[in-house]
Amino acid sequence: MAELHLHGGRAVVAGVLEAFSTIEGLRPAEAGEFTRRAFENGRIDLTEAEGLADLLTAETQSQRRASLTMAGGALGRRVSGWQTQLLRLSAELEALLDFSDEGDVGDELPASWRGSLGQLVDEIGSILRSPPIERLRDGIRVVIAGPPNAGKSSLLNSLAGRRAAITSAIAGTTRDIVEAPTAIGGQPFLLVDTAGLRESQDEIEAEGVERARQSLDAADLILWLGAPSECPDRERSLVVQSKIDLVDTPDPGVEIAVSSETGQGMDALVSTLIERAKSLLPQEGDVAINARHRAALGAALRHLEEAGATTDHLIAAEALRLARVELDRVTGRAGVEHMLDALFGGFCIGK
């Protein structure tokens, strides 16, 4: 196996590859082959390979730092510690099942057994509650919503710094979802403009309103430009009054008043978005997990909770075994062949 670093232009590279093509038994490396070999030979685990894959596509500093943390084995070390604890708990339980009729092993589990199991449940539950790493890659989904002609498209254009959405004084101009990926304060955001929320007999506009309501359900944060009393979800929303340059004072209940025309209040809105991002994005040094990790760890947690809830030692032993299988899936020790093909196929040639 060899990796070449060639000087010169494309003609030099093409010439070297042509010369190598005449050597019998020699072939170009497949995409991700070096990293896959490192994984298959135990040099890295699957979480480190995923971190490297994310690093190759990182576009912001926060994405790069999170990817480096994963590629450095932070999650793998955490899971390895859980596996060690789980093996010890399983060994104590299996000893009770197999040798309880002998004098060296008692009839009951030690008092610390359920306490250790509970600690393991708490640790895995804590990481499952952490912000997902997908938000670093896809951006915090900020949905701008409200009634027609509330200034939603103008606000999106102001935040994005470009004309991503068509604006007009005519109510109902926006009839479909308009998405604008952008970085605000070095953090990734996906701004979503939606159709004005109202009842409509127009079939196309009604479909746009339905899509707007679906976007609200999927939002990480909602910028609500309607009446504060009509805000659909106060917990996830920031009540914004637009076109403040046209009125004397903001309405009661408004949190931030802005004008896309004059820029009034935009700095305060941007600062608020950056502050909200701190709780919605993984922080530097945190172990952030993706959807695959979340599914496996969620399944492991359910099995651990089942083991803690039952008084039947056989059921508890089987639940712990299933939990170990799920932890093995996280690090790539079991049942991941198809996922490996997709993962390493997205790497650079050779890498």
Side-chain angles (χ1 to χ4, degrees), residues 62 65 182-189 270 273-274 277:
S62 55
R65 288 191 291 266
T182 189
I184 301 176
Q187 304 290 5
F189 286 84
V270 167
L273 289 175
I274 294 172

Side-chain angles (χ1 to χ4, degrees), residues 16-34:
V16 171
L17 291 177
E18 184 179 357
F20 277 130
S21 68
T22 63
I23 301 176
E24 185 178 355
L26 201 63
R27 64 169 178 81
E30 297 176 357
E33 187 168 0
F34 287 1

Side-chain angles (χ1 to χ4, degrees), residues 290-308:
N290 61 30
R292 187 187 70 82
H293 306 147
R294 194 172 300 276
L297 291 176
L301 181 63
R302 290 190 292 273
H303 292 310
L304 292 174
E305 290 173 337
E306 180 185 6

Side-chain angles (χ1 to χ4, degrees), residues 13 28 53 56 77 117 119 150 161 169 182 191 236 270 275 319 328:
V13 175
L56 295 175
R77 289 190 294 272
L117 179 62
Q119 181 181 357
T182 189
L191 305 176
R236 289 185 297 141
V270 167
E275 186 64 28
D328 284 344

Side-chain angles (χ1 to χ4, degrees), residues 2 52 67 71 74 94 105 197 244 257 290 344 351:
L52 181 56
S67 300
E94 295 290 350
V105 178
L197 299 177
I244 191 59
N290 61 30
F344 293 115
K351 183 64 178 176

Side-chain angles (χ1 to χ4, degrees), residues 102-114:
E102 300 184 12
D104 294 336
V105 178
D107 294 330
E108 296 295 334
L109 288 166
S112 60
W113 191 87
R114 292 195 179 276

Side-chain angles (χ1 to χ4, degrees), residues 237-284:
S237 297
L238 186 65
V239 180
V240 179
Q241 182 168 342
S242 62
K243 305 180 182 181
I244 191 59
D245 54 308
L246 302 180
V247 299
D248 294 329
T249 57
D251 295 333
V254 169
E255 297 175 77
I256 296 180
V258 301
S259 169
S260 300
E261 185 70 24
T262 67
Q264 179 182 347
M266 291 302 297
D267 287 343
L269 177 58
V270 167
S271 297
T272 301
L273 289 175
I274 294 172
E275 186 64 28
R276 289 288 187 98
K278 293 180 180 179
S279 61
L280 293 171
L281 290 172
Q283 300 302 301
E284 185 172 355

